[in-house]
Amino acid sequence: STDVPSNSRLTISLSKVDGKLGMQLGGGAKSLPVYIHNISAGGGADIDGRLKIGDKVLRIDGIDVTQMTHEEVVKALQNTGEIVCMTVLRDPRFLQRLTEHGLTGTTQKSAQPTSKPAGSGKAQPRRAASGISTASSSSSS
């Protein structure tokens, strides 16, 4: 199995597709580190396949982003070149906490056919691989 052990640090070089990595970030608040919230079909992160929802973002092109705000990390990613080196931490307990609080998105795979309920007419438009954008997150006390 190619599963990554718990609490593993991974350094991954990703190529952008149309200038974007095709993922959304969550967190960046004082109590929540910046993490991968969503992975868009056909984007660099989806094509590469190594980043997973819930991975904590530690470094971008060698720069420590663990003390940065959400906006600062998004800006750091937007200012990278066509290939981005990211270091992330995969912590299953962190992912479980995010999931329990409804703070994770989905990995949209481009190879899967889309299905819509019978009689639904037009499917709701979905933003195509939006690259890096903010994901609103609600905090619960």
Side-chain angles (χ1 to χ4, degrees):
S1 163
T2 59
D3 288 342
V4 174
S6 299
N7 299 317
S8 290
R9 198 177 285 249
L10 303 161
T11 299
I12 298 169
S13 290
L14 291 175
S15 297
K16 293 181 179 178
V17 174
D18 296 327
K20 299 177 182 184
L21 289 171
M23 64 183 188
Q24 292 179 321
L25 301 175
K30 287 181 182 176
S31 60
L32 199 60
V34 173
Y35 64 95
I36 308 296
H37 176 266
N38 189 45
I39 297 175
S40 301
D46 174 44
I47 291 167
D48 180 270
R50 290 177 289 174
L51 284 180
K52 303 294 179 201
I53 290 173
D55 286 351
K56 296 179 193 178
V57 180
L58 304 178
R59 299 179 85 77
I60 296 170
D61 284 347
I63 299 167
D64 183 344
V65 298
T66 57
Q67 301 301 312
M68 290 184 181
T69 65
H70 181 100
E71 291 75 20
E72 289 169 334
V73 176
V74 168
K75 190 173 289 280
L77 278 169
Q78 289 171 337
N79 290 332
T80 58
E82 282 302 302
I83 296 177
V84 182
C85 183
M86 290 180 67
T87 301
V88 297
L89 179 68
R90 184 155 306 152
D91 178 355
R93 287 174 305 202
F94 178 68
L95 176 59
Q96 183 178 354
R97 286 201 324 265
L98 290 174
T99 304
E100 286 170 357
H101 292 284
L103 297 176
T104 55
T106 57
T107 301
Q108 302 166 7
K109 289 293 182 186
S110 50
Q112 294 177 344
T114 56
S115 60
K116 54 185 178 179
S120 68
K122 261 187 157 175
Q124 287 290 3
R126 184 190 303 254
R127 279 181 33 200
S130 58
I132 304 300
S133 58
T134 57
S136 58
S137 59
S138 56
S139 57
S140 52
S141 303

